[in-house]
Amino acid sequence: MSARLRWMPLKLIFFLSALGLGFAAYRLPLAGLSQPGKIGLGIFVAAIFLWISEAVPLFITSFVILALEILLLGLPGAALHLPKGGYAIFLTPFFSPVILLFLGGFTIAAALEKYGLGEVMVATIINRVGRRPERVLLGVMAATAIISMWISTTAATAGMLAMLYPLIKQLPAGEKFRKALILGIPFASGVGGMSTPVGTPPNAIAIGALNNVGLELSFSRWILLALPLCLLQFYLLWRFLLWLFPPGVQEIDYRLPEQARLNGRQKAVVAVSLLTILLWITSDLHGIPSPAVSLFPVLALFGLRYLDQRDFTGLSWNILIIVGGGLSLGLAMEKTGVTAWLLTLLKVSALSPLALMMILCLFTLILSTFISHSAVANLLAPLVAGMPAASPVLLTMACALSASTGHALPVSTPPNAIAYSTGEIKLKEMAISGGIASLISALLIGFYLYGIQRLIHW
Amino acid sequence: METVRLEHCPRCDGTEVSNYLHIRQGKPILVYVRCNKCQCYVCRYSLSRYTSDKPFDSLLQLIGHGEADGSSAREMIQRIETFTIDVKAEYERVLQLAAKEDKRLMEQIIAEEHPDTGSGI
């Protein structure tokens, strides 16, 4: 019997338990929560349990949320008393501006991958950093971070490991520095993913959650705020890995195969990608919203046949559904009053801005160590975006960034799982190094964004 | 139905063949098969997945091309754990099945078992 079939009964029990827990939450005699609110809370609880237990794949949880919203809240005569067809409000988050933004990012990622431009970029960096081990690690981490800004952290980690495994294996057995190279890849992919709105789903979820409550965080502002933080974080993680796993060799002689010059199609893809990034970053200047800019790479790359139908079906639609489900849940929580009710329970106004920021970052980190980063963002971002705090925008951003910091366990994030599967890292080593790295990152995010909040009162 | 078919040379019925992989950037890789005995063309098919004798390395390549985007870490661990075992177990099974070879034409097999695939002409 395959492993998948062996786990089926347990998954079914988890799935039914999620629905049972949701029903139990609905039946609780909670003061201050209306009938629609109780239903919204039930859906929220069921979603939490589904995301934690992974009874169904993450993207299927989004469809479960949608089905419950339509059946229990959206139909005529249901709790929200919406008119006929009113249930469509729960569908709109599945093609919201942030989904369109991500679609543009996925299109660029597909083209970079199809035309081998990721490999070109990586080889260009790695072959020019020199032979000293600390510089090789810097090159490996920099290349990973740069490609993770635009392609998924999972694909970036696997691609980098596939390219660099020969380099790692040529180091002597028992050489500690092998671990630094292996761990540097998932750490750097996390940092790279944080730096752009399209880098990783929690970023998109945060922007979408802010949009749900009428707040905006543009592409350029995200980069402006996140990039200095990511550079600092990157430097600290690099130094930390060198300190923890100091190189025992004087130099590493390794060269990746390099393409002499780009061909015409590669140049065209680079041009479209760079122009899109430029338009994204300058959207505040030219007035075209960044999600609308995302149509440009879709039209250019698919329209001019640089990408075909096979590439289109190969886009990561499941990630868009995961993000859409989270946004739809956030909308339902807001419409039913659950968000407001939960926020009164949390009494966030009693906390100082610094305490609130630090508690949020550390709490998010703890969750993201054990649960999917997207699920953590889906759970917390709608709540944080609605907080009556000095700056819900920065708090929501802190939540999204902290959700990408969990690196202590193989189950924390797929890049960690891939690195652990090489067999080079023991669980204890990952727990210690990843735990400390995560803590450094979360504290840095908290202090940095608190500092920004104090500085610009935003 | 689960069967195994060996590539046969249409001219000499030989089964010793060489595979030539035609690689063009951005296009599916095509495999041209040539008979080792009489050097004639046997067939051509397209390659969509490749797993070498080092399955973990092959899996890294697949994941690196976005195969597992959106999967959770737990799904990833399960996939990596089962991948190596699955490939080797499947290979052993194929060798067992080859004892009773499927004699149908490849076009017929595709039409009957995978009608949505087409003959690839």
Side-chain angles (χ1 to χ4, degrees):
Chain A
M1 192 192 280
S2 77
R4 197 167 296 177
L5 286 175
R6 217 168 36 240
W7 287 102
M8 276 297 278
L10 192 61
K11 299 250 175 191
L12 185 64
I13 291 168
F14 280 151
F15 182 76
L16 296 175
S17 303
L19 298 182
L21 282 171
F23 184 70
Y26 162 72
R27 297 286 292 174
L28 282 175
L30 298 168
L33 200 59
S34 63
Q35 175 71 1
K38 287 181 175 179
I39 294 174
L41 182 69
I43 297 172
F44 182 56
V45 170
I48 292 175
F49 194 75
L50 285 175
W51 274 321
I52 293 174
S53 66
E54 291 183 24
V56 290
L58 295 174
F59 73 99
I60 295 295
T61 297
S62 292
F63 287 121
V64 175
I65 292 167
L66 183 61
L68 292 174
E69 286 171 348
I70 292 172
L71 288 174
L72 305 175
L73 296 169
L75 293 180
L80 279 179
H81 302 292
L82 295 172
K84 197 177 174 191
Y87 70 88
I89 60 162
F90 299 118
L91 298 177
T92 47
F94 285 87
F95 206 72
S96 58
V98 79
I99 297 285
L100 187 57
L101 181 73
F102 242 56
L103 187 62
F106 286 166
T107 304
I108 289 178
L112 294 178
E113 186 265 312
K114 181 170 183 172
Y115 292 97
L117 288 159
E119 284 90 335
V120 171
M121 207 187 312
V122 172
T124 307
I125 295 171
I126 303 279
N127 291 345
R128 278 159 189 76
V129 289
R131 292 176 177 185
R132 281 166 51 199
E134 59 272 27
R135 296 199 56 154
V136 172
L137 178 64
L138 182 69
V140 167
M141 288 179 69
T144 311
I146 290 168
I147 57 172
S148 298
M149 290 168 80
W150 312 108
I151 72 170
S152 92
T153 55
T154 304
T157 300
M160 285 298 291
L161 269 175
M163 280 178 85
L164 297 168
Y165 215 32
L167 179 156
I168 294 162
K169 281 194 263 193
Q170 81 169 30
L171 292 172
E175 165 62 51
K176 268 182 159 185
F177 191 64
R178 287 165 77 125
K179 297 180 199 299
L181 286 167
I182 298 264
L183 284 172
I185 293 172
F187 288 2
S189 76
V191 176
M194 286 179 204
S195 60
T196 67
V198 295
T200 182
N203 304 355
I205 292 163
I207 292 172
L210 286 168
N211 290 345
N212 272 353
V213 294
L215 295 170
E216 205 196 332
L217 182 55
S218 70
F219 199 97
S220 55
R221 282 198 181 186
W222 183 286
I223 289 192
L224 206 64
L225 286 169
L227 207 55
L229 169 71
C230 290
L231 286 171
L232 187 58
Q233 199 177 341
F234 178 88
Y235 175 78
L236 290 177
L237 291 177
W238 172 58
R239 299 300 312 180
F240 170 67
L241 284 172
L242 283 173
W243 171 75
L244 197 62
F245 304 111
V249 290
Q250 291 300 312
E251 61 175 41
I252 297 172
D253 188 14
Y254 188 77
R255 224 182 138 72
L256 288 168
E258 206 170 337
Q259 195 179 322
R261 53 179 11 192
L262 298 182
N263 63 35
R265 294 184 82 78
Q266 287 175 316
K267 282 179 188 165
V269 170
V270 169
V272 170
S273 304
L274 289 179
L275 189 56
T276 306
I277 293 166
L278 184 72
L279 289 170
W280 271 335
I281 292 170
T282 54
S283 69
D284 289 343
L285 297 176
H286 55 67
I288 302 170
S290 44
V293 168
S294 289
L295 287 171
F296 169 65
V298 176
L299 291 171
L301 295 169
F302 284 104
L304 297 171
R305 303 279 196 275
Y306 286 96
L307 293 172
D308 56 26
Q309 197 177 335
R310 197 189 305 205
D311 303 311
F312 188 72
T313 50
L315 295 179
S316 305
W317 295 102
N318 52 350
I319 293 182
L320 298 184
I321 298 294
I322 291 169
V323 175
L327 298 181
S328 186
L329 178 66
L331 184 73
M333 285 169 66
E334 207 230 322
K335 292 268 176 215
T336 57
V338 178
T339 305
W341 180 78
L342 281 173
L343 288 173
T344 56
L345 287 185
L346 292 173
K347 298 195 188 333
V348 290
S349 51
L351 292 168
S352 72
L354 178 62
L356 179 60
M357 182 70 86
M358 298 317 291
I359 289 171
L360 175 68
C361 289
L362 293 174
F363 180 64
T364 310
L365 164 65
I366 293 167
L367 286 185
S368 72
T369 302
F370 302 98
I371 314 172
S372 144
H373 295 177
S374 303
V376 172
N378 271 341
L379 290 176
L380 296 180
L383 283 175
V384 180
M387 274 186 182
S391 174
V393 173
L394 291 177
L395 277 177
T396 311
M397 192 174 176
C399 170
L401 297 177
S402 304
S404 296
T405 55
H407 279 294
L409 296 172
V411 294
S412 302
T413 168
N416 263 31
I418 295 166
Y420 180 69
S421 301
T422 58
E424 297 275 347
I425 312 286
K426 294 191 183 82
L427 188 61
K428 195 177 154 190
E429 289 168 334
M430 180 170 268
I432 293 171
S433 58
I436 296 171
S438 303
L439 198 59
I440 291 171
S441 302
L443 291 174
L444 191 65
I445 292 166
F447 282 119
Y448 173 82
L449 288 177
Y450 172 71
I452 296 281
Q453 192 180 325
R454 289 286 303 253
L455 201 67
I456 58 173
H457 303 284
W458 183 46
Chain B
M1 193 165 69
E2 192 182 3
T3 59
V4 170
R5 182 186 182 278
L6 288 175
E7 290 294 359
H8 286 259
C9 173
R11 193 190 293 168
C12 70
D13 205 36
T15 53
E16 285 186 20
V17 294
S18 294
N19 296 330
Y20 294 85
L21 280 71
H22 185 201
I23 302 149
R24 292 163 299 170
Q25 193 170 51
K27 293 186 176 173
I29 293 173
L30 292 174
V31 184
Y32 286 85
V33 182
R34 189 177 77 157
C35 176
N36 283 351
K37 201 167 154 192
C38 67
Q39 315 296 317
C40 88
Y41 167 81
V42 176
C43 64
R44 181 190 79 170
Y45 50 89
S46 63
L47 185 71
S48 63
R49 281 201 182 179
Y50 181 82
T51 310
S52 71
D53 64 332
K54 297 178 187 69
F56 181 66
D57 294 9
S58 299
L59 185 62
L60 280 183
Q61 292 284 356
L62 284 178
I63 299 170
H65 288 104
E67 270 264 320
D69 285 358
S71 301
S72 72
R74 275 178 262 176
E75 286 168 339
M76 184 69 71
I77 291 169
Q78 197 180 30
R79 186 170 178 177
I80 294 169
E81 278 175 356
T82 54
F83 191 82
T84 312
I85 303 163
D86 283 351
V87 171
K88 286 185 178 161
E90 274 178 32
Y91 175 63
E92 294 300 327
R93 174 148 181 77
V94 164
L95 292 182
Q96 281 177 1
L97 288 168
K100 197 182 169 192
E101 195 192 336
D102 192 332
K103 298 283 185 192
R104 288 175 295 171
L105 285 173
M106 200 60 215
E107 290 85 341
Q108 189 188 350
I109 292 174
I110 291 170
E112 288 175 5
E113 311 292 339
H114 298 279
D116 53 327
T117 313
S119 64
I121 297 164

